[in-house]
Structure formats: structure tokens, C-alpha cells
Amino acid sequence: MNIFFHELRAYRKSTIIWSCSLVLIIALFMSFYPAFANDAEDFQKIMEGYPEAIRNAIGFNLGNFFTILGFYCFPLSFITLCGAIQAMNLGTSIVSKEVREKTADFLLTKPVTRTKVLTSKLFAAFVSIVITNIIYLVVTMFMVFQVKTDDFSVKILILLSLTMFFIQLIFLAVGIMISVIVPKIKSVLSVSLTTVFAFYFLGMFSSTTGEEAKRYISPFKYFDTAYIIKHSGYETSFLVAGAVIIILAITASYFVYLKKDIHAV
């Protein structure tokens, strides 16, 4: 429990910064909605000039863009990118920071098992992500109610917002696995940015081809906002795919961490 609270305190500044950043992004974007709604017809003519492949790549859906929920989906794609970077940073630093700061052997001399160490660190990172999502969701709902020009489904708004949380869980698990497997990570940020942007651009590429199977390549495409708005739910096959990635990554992390050699300073 002491490890958990220590890690949570260590993530406090990062959690505050990421939460404030996401809140500012959504507040800025949603403040533009009334202007877009008033000039919907003119703006739609402009966007129709862009190729459909480009519109799909950036998550732009002409069918519902000028509704409050459709407009919200546009900044959501960038917000989930930021959220993924936060989660990847947390996951990658869970074990690697002990090696980088040369405190790994000191930590493991304490009367706690490796399982408890990794579990406490993992739970602290999870709580940090939960706090970020709660703050983000509260501010998002407040902003949407402030700028809405027509009625909307609160349930769908929550479902759309939670896509960031699910994507964060996937990248948190992947980050933990990388942190455990790679012997020494000199820069957590460079690893996080490279991994997240690689999957993000793979997701954009899969959208341009229109092939359903290629969506499984990138977690960013596991949650189709148009589908969520239309069906008020998620696609089961992609939820299962995400859950499998999380389970396999975390299981592999525990397996490797319990058996790997920790070098003394």
C-alpha cells in the first residue's frame, strides 16, 4: 500500500497537467460549435470538396458533423491521441524509472514480493488515468450543455467520451510490457511518442483503404464514433480485441518481471 501511495504522489503533477490540458482542448473546440452550427451549410460545401479518404482519415463525418455529438467527435480524435500518450508514458515509466534512477535493487530488498510491487505500480497508474477521465468527462458534459443548440443523448456522449479511457487502458498495458521487456529505457517520452504516433498513423491509413480488417491494426480505430452515435453502443469484436491485448500484455509483463534479473547498482 505504501508503494501505491508513493507512486500516486509521483504521478500527481503529471495527472494534473494532462487533465488540465485535455480540459483546455475540449473547452476550446466546443466553444467553436455555435459558429459552426450557424454556418453549417457553407461549411459543408467546403468540406465536400475534400476527398472522402481524407475525411475518413481525420474522422470527419459529413452526415452528423453539424450535430453537437457529431461535432464533438472531431476534437475527440485528437483528445484520445493525447490520452494515449499520457497512458503510454505512465506504462513505460512503471518499471523503467527504477532502472534509470538506479533504485530497482533497493526497492526489491524490501519485504514485498515482485507481484505486489508491480501490482501497486499498475494500480497507481490506473487510478491516475481514472482521475483524468473523471475530470475530463465532467468538464465535457458541462461544455456540451453550455453550447448545445438542440437536444442530444447524454448516454451517447458518455459512450463517446469513454473511448479515450478504453484506448488509454490498451496503451497503458502495452507501455508496461515495453517497460518490463526493454532492459533500459533512456527516454520514456521518445518511446511513448514513437509508439503512439505509429499506431495513430496506421489507424489513419486503415481508414483511407476502407477495409474493415485493417482496423484491428490500430487501437485508435476500435471505436467508430459514427457507429456509436447510430447504435448507442460499441462494436463487440473490437471490444474483445482490446481486452485480449490488455490481458496478454499485462500477463506477459508479470511473467517477465517475476523472472528477470535486476542488476544491482
Side-chain angles (χ1 to χ4, degrees):
M1 188 59 68
N2 288 336
I3 298 174
F4 166 73
F5 286 115
H6 173 78
E7 292 295 317
L8 200 58
R9 284 194 298 270
Y11 298 143
R12 179 175 55 191
K13 183 178 179 181
S14 172
T15 303
I16 293 173
I17 292 173
W18 279 106
S19 299
C20 291
S21 300
L22 294 176
V23 163
L24 287 174
I25 292 172
I26 192 60
L28 177 64
F29 271 96
M30 295 312 296
S31 65
F32 295 149
Y33 176 70
F36 276 94
N38 292 333
D39 298 324
E41 186 175 340
D42 293 336
F43 191 75
Q44 183 167 355
K45 290 179 180 178
I46 295 173
M47 295 308 299
E48 285 174 349
Y50 286 88
E52 184 178 357
I54 299 297
R55 296 201 303 265
N56 290 337
I58 62 176
F60 190 95
N61 190 319
L62 282 176
N64 55 33
F65 182 75
F66 298 101
T67 65
I68 187 69
L69 293 178
F71 181 84
Y72 172 61
C73 293
F74 180 64
L76 184 62
S77 63
F78 302 107
I79 289 168
T80 53
L81 174 62
C82 295
I85 295 172
Q86 178 197 13
M88 191 72 189
N89 268 335
L90 288 172
T92 309
S93 65
I94 277 182
V95 174
S96 65
K97 70 176 182 178
E98 303 294 347
V99 177
R100 189 170 57 256
E101 297 172 4
K102 301 179 180 180
T103 57
D105 57 333
F106 171 77
L107 176 62
L108 295 179
T109 58
K110 299 297 180 181
V112 290
T113 63
R114 291 194 182 193
T115 300
K116 185 176 181 180
V117 169
L118 189 57
T119 301
S120 298
K121 286 173 169 287
L122 175 59
F123 189 50
F126 174 77
V127 170
S128 177
I129 288 176
V130 170
I131 292 172
T132 298
N133 277 271
I134 291 174
I135 295 172
Y136 169 77
L137 181 58
V138 170
V139 174
T140 296
M141 294 189 68
F142 173 79
M143 285 300 303
V144 171
F145 274 104
Q146 291 299 309
V147 303
K148 72 182 182 73
T149 56
D150 51 11
D151 293 333
F152 66 94
S153 170
V154 175
K155 176 186 175 182
I156 294 178
L157 176 63
I158 294 174
L159 288 173
L160 289 170
S161 299
L162 286 177
T163 59
M164 179 178 73
F165 176 67
F166 294 132
I167 290 173
Q168 283 183 308
L169 291 182
I170 294 174
F171 279 100
L172 176 64
V174 172
I176 295 169
M177 185 174 65
I178 293 174
S179 178
V180 170
I181 293 175
V182 178
K184 187 175 182 179
I185 298 176
K186 293 183 179 180
S187 175
V188 169
L189 184 60
S190 61
V191 173
S192 300
L193 290 176
T194 301
T195 305
V196 172
F197 276 107
F199 279 110
Y200 187 75
F201 287 118
L202 282 173
M204 292 181 66
F205 173 73
S206 68
S207 296
T208 61
T209 63
E211 296 180 29
E212 190 75 6
K214 289 185 177 180
R215 287 178 56 196
Y216 288 97
I217 298 174
S218 173
F220 288 105
K221 293 302 176 182
Y222 285 9
F223 301 94
D224 181 19
T225 53
Y227 181 93
I228 295 171
I229 292 175
K230 182 178 180 180
H231 299 279
S232 299
Y234 303 124
E235 296 171 270
T236 304
S237 60
F238 289 99
L239 276 180
V240 172
V244 169
I245 292 173
I246 293 170
I247 292 171
L248 290 178
I250 292 180
T251 301
S253 300
Y254 274 94
F255 179 80
V256 174
Y257 187 68
L258 292 178
K259 294 182 176 297
K260 71 180 298 186
D261 292 330
I262 305 295
H263 299 288
V265 177

